């Protein structure tokens, strides 16, 4: 009987400007489900870096909790506190994008390559690379991966789409950026078992192309589960 992969999905809130990109998160969960994976969602029980009105894109004077917001996507009681997560229980890690990855999981949005990663996120993500378990990163999440790899003293290859604006930053972290022409594409680093796809790094991407890229990413991650 084939093994049922046990996959962790790390969510950075809810809403593409200050949390997880909802379409990317849902597509990730759907693709994993279609491939028969068992999925657990996690998020830090911590305040968001900022709250943005998604009608206007303006910052609000408000406080929201990353775990509470991520639970809007995972459904009530289905998103676990990252502090209680044991990476040893999982076969793979998926990281949907959204600006929350670069704001709530690390300071890449403000500081670029000079930024830092939340200790709990760094510890959790690092465990997968150290155990040679597959990781999938979507949209801006490969920038977080680059920061994690840098902290581990490791190099790799990934994509953030065309590379405009962010390729230089990840390059400073010792990571090779590979430009791809659309949201449908993926880049695989076989040595790291790392699969990346740009999704809404292309702001004008068709939703069907975003789905294609994410489904391909999830499929390739699961294909590398041992």
């Amino acid at each position: 009987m084939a093994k049922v992969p046990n996959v962790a999905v790390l969510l950075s809130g809810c809403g593409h400007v200050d949390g997880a990109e909802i379409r990317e998160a849902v597509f990730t969960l759907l693709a994993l489900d279609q491939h028969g994976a068992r999925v657990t969602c996690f998020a830090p029980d911590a305040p968001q870096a900022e709250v943005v009105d998604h009608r206007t894109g303006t910052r609000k004077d408000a406080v929201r909790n990353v775990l509470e917001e991520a639970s809007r996507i995972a459904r009530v009681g289905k998103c676990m506190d990252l502090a209680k997560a044991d990476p040893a229980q999982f076969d793979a890690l998926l990281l949907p994008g959204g600006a929350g990855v670069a704001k709530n999981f690390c300071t890449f949005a403000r500081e670029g390559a000079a930024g830092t990663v939340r200790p709990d996120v760094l510890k959790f993500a690092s465990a997968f690379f150290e155990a040679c378990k597959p990781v999938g990163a979507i949209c801006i999440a490969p920038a977080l991966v680059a920061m994690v790899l840098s902290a581990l003293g490791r190099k790799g290859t990934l994509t953030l789409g065309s590379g405009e604006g962010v390729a230089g930053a990840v390059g400073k972290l010792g990571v090779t950026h590979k430009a791809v022409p659309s949201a449908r594409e993926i880049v695989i680093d076989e040595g790291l078992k790392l699969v990346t796809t740009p999704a809404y790094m292309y702001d004008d991407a068709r939703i069907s192309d975003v789905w294609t890229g994410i489904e391909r990413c999830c499929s390739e991650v699961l294909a590398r589960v041992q």
Side-chain angles (χ1 to χ4, degrees):
M1 184 176 179
K3 176 181 179 178
V4 177
N6 198 19
V7 181
V9 175
L10 192 55
L11 299 175
S12 60
C14 181
H16 77 279
V17 187
D18 57 13
E21 213 294 330
I22 297 170
R23 294 174 180 178
E24 293 174 4
V26 172
F27 286 167
T28 298
L29 297 174
L30 175 58
L32 292 171
D33 182 70
Q34 287 187 336
H35 285 282
R38 183 184 300 113
V39 177
T40 306
C41 294
F42 292 98
D45 186 3
Q48 291 184 181
E50 63 182 21
V51 177
V52 177
D53 184 337
H54 281 63
R55 296 172 300 172
T56 62
T58 56
R59 186 168 179 170
K60 297 179 64 176
D61 184 16
V63 177
R64 291 186 183 175
N65 180 281
V66 179
L67 177 56
E68 290 178 3
E69 292 300 296
S71 296
R72 294 176 181 272
I73 298 171
R75 298 178 67 84
V76 173
K78 300 295 184 181
C79 193
M80 304 294 106
D81 183 353
L82 181 60
K84 300 176 182 178
D86 179 5
Q89 296 181 353
F90 297 94
D91 301 304
L93 171 65
L94 260 296
L95 298 161
V101 173
K103 295 176 179 179
N104 301 328
F105 288 170
C106 62
T107 59
F108 185 84
R110 297 195 309 273
E111 300 173 297
T116 57
V117 183
R118 278 183 58 95
D120 51 358
V121 173
L122 178 62
K123 181 180 179 180
F124 189 68
S126 294
F128 288 86
F129 289 109
E130 291 173 331
C132 201
K133 295 179 180 179
V135 174
I138 298 160
C139 192
I140 194 62
L144 171 69
V145 167
M147 297 175 78
V148 172
L149 292 175
S150 178
L152 292 172
R154 303 180 69 175
K155 300 182 183 298
T157 300
L158 49 74
T159 190
L160 286 148
S162 67
E164 296 176 4
V166 291
V170 297
K172 292 177 182 177
L173 294 165
V175 172
T176 299
H177 182 269
K178 183 175 180 180
V180 296
S182 79
R184 300 174 65 89
E185 305 302 320
I186 62 174
V187 169
I188 302 174
D189 185 314
E190 292 290 2
L192 292 174
K193 296 185 180 179
L194 171 65
V195 187
T196 54
T197 188
Y200 281 112
M201 290 302 288
Y202 288 102
D203 287 335
D204 59 351
R206 295 178 62 194
I207 190 171
S208 57
D209 288 343
V210 172
W211 159 251
T212 296
I214 291 175
E215 196 284 328
R216 292 180 67 197
C217 176
C218 292
S219 177
E220 294 293 346
V221 166
L222 295 176
R224 287 158 178 76
V225 169
Q226 295 181 340

